[in-house]
Amino acid sequence: MLLLKLPAFLLGVYMMYWSLPLANIFLCIKAWKLVGPRNDIYQWCHFLVNAFRTKFRKYGSNDLYRGAPCIYLSNHRSWSDFFMDAYLTEGRGQLMSRMAVVYVFPMFMIPVTWVRGCICFKRGSIADKQKFNAWIDNCVKASPVPGICLFPEGHRSRAPHSLPLKRGMLHYAYSRNMPVQVQLLLQNHTR
């Protein structure tokens, strides 16, 4: 069964690797627009949602929080969560990612980080939390994207239950009086 999934996974990884250059080639990202607001992250995610023919169904009555800067908490079950979560937040949250992802997917992580759509950090214990939080404050202020989208479990898990949450960014949100919105992706693999 795993062998049958391998070609689809490799195609998905290939698409993710080349997704930003492809989105630019197909004019989905307005790279020529040098003046005025742009949301390259949302345009990139919109391109990938269309390329993979992803469909979403909303459950519940709450809408996306569009007010002041917000922290969006998402579960992390698949490699595709990056673009799906950013798409569902309408590109309103900078993705938080560990630095190792830059080394695995440099073709899109370097440009996404450059346009301030992703905050890349070194995973591990943080010696000076105040300094780290001030650094995040500066990243948020410098970005055209008003919020942060992160995975509070800390890493991807296919377990049928949630993992213990990492509390650092929840403390950050509380100390900054930032609203927090939870969004969950439930994936249906049957067609």
Side-chain angles (χ1 to χ4, degrees), residues 34-113:
L34 302 175
V35 178
R38 289 175 28 177
N39 194 336
D40 295 340
I41 299 304
Y42 183 68
Q43 299 305 325
W44 165 68
C45 296
H46 195 269
F47 168 76
L48 283 172
V49 163
N50 288 334
F52 287 121
R53 298 183 185 160
T54 307
K55 302 217 183 308
F56 298 97
R57 184 179 310 148
K58 179 184 172 191
Y59 291 97
S61 61
N62 292 339
D63 289 326
L64 177 68
Y65 179 79
R66 294 181 179 91
C70 177
I71 291 187
Y72 301 98
L73 303 178
S74 302
N75 58 331
H76 193 15
R77 299 289 178 256
S78 168
W79 58 270
S80 60
D81 289 338
F82 288 109
F83 74 85
M84 290 193 296
D85 288 330
Y87 177 79
L88 290 174
T89 61
E90 299 172 356
R92 298 185 62 76
Q94 291 183 73
L95 298 166
M96 278 202 76
S97 176
R98 57 188 173 146
M99 191 62 77
V101 178
V102 174
Y103 300 115
V104 176
F105 294 108
M107 288 298 288
F108 78 87
M109 285 300 288
I110 291 171
V112 166
T113 304

Side-chain angles (χ1 to χ4, degrees), residues 4-19:
L4 293 176
K5 294 181 180 181
L6 188 61
F9 173 75
L10 292 175
L11 176 63
V13 168
Y14 180 80
M15 279 293 293
M16 286 286 284
Y17 192 86
W18 292 102
S19 61

Side-chain angles (χ1 to χ4, degrees), residues 92-139:
R92 298 185 62 76
Q94 291 183 73
L95 298 166
M96 278 202 76
S97 176
R98 57 188 173 146
M99 191 62 77
V101 178
V102 174
Y103 300 115
V104 176
F105 294 108
M107 288 298 288
F108 78 87
M109 285 300 288
I110 291 171
V112 166
T113 304
W114 184 68
V115 297
R116 294 183 175 92
C118 186
I119 300 171
C120 296
F121 64 96
K122 184 179 176 198
R123 190 171 173 183
S125 69
I126 310 276
D128 187 352
K129 290 182 179 26
Q130 297 302 327
K131 184 176 176 184
F132 182 74
N133 288 347
W135 174 72
I136 291 174
D137 288 338
N138 290 334
C139 291

Side-chain angles (χ1 to χ4, degrees), residues 1 5 8 55 77-81 84 156-158 185-191:
M1 187 67 167
K5 294 181 180 181
K55 302 217 183 308
R77 299 289 178 256
S78 168
W79 58 270
S80 60
D81 289 338
M84 290 193 296
R156 187 175 62 84
S157 171
R158 307 246 335 151
L185 286 176
L186 306 173
Q187 299 171 353
N188 181 1
H189 296 287
T190 59
R191 293 189 186 236

Side-chain angles (χ1 to χ4, degrees), residues 143-178:
S143 175
V145 180
I148 300 172
C149 183
L150 59 99
F151 307 111
E153 294 170 303
H155 57 84
R156 187 175 62 84
S157 171
R158 307 246 335 151
H161 54 81
S162 294
L163 298 175
L165 300 181
K166 306 286 185 185
R167 297 179 308 274
M169 289 306 292
L170 294 174
H171 288 294
Y172 173 83
Y174 182 77
S175 70
R176 298 324 192 249
N177 202 25
M178 288 178 78

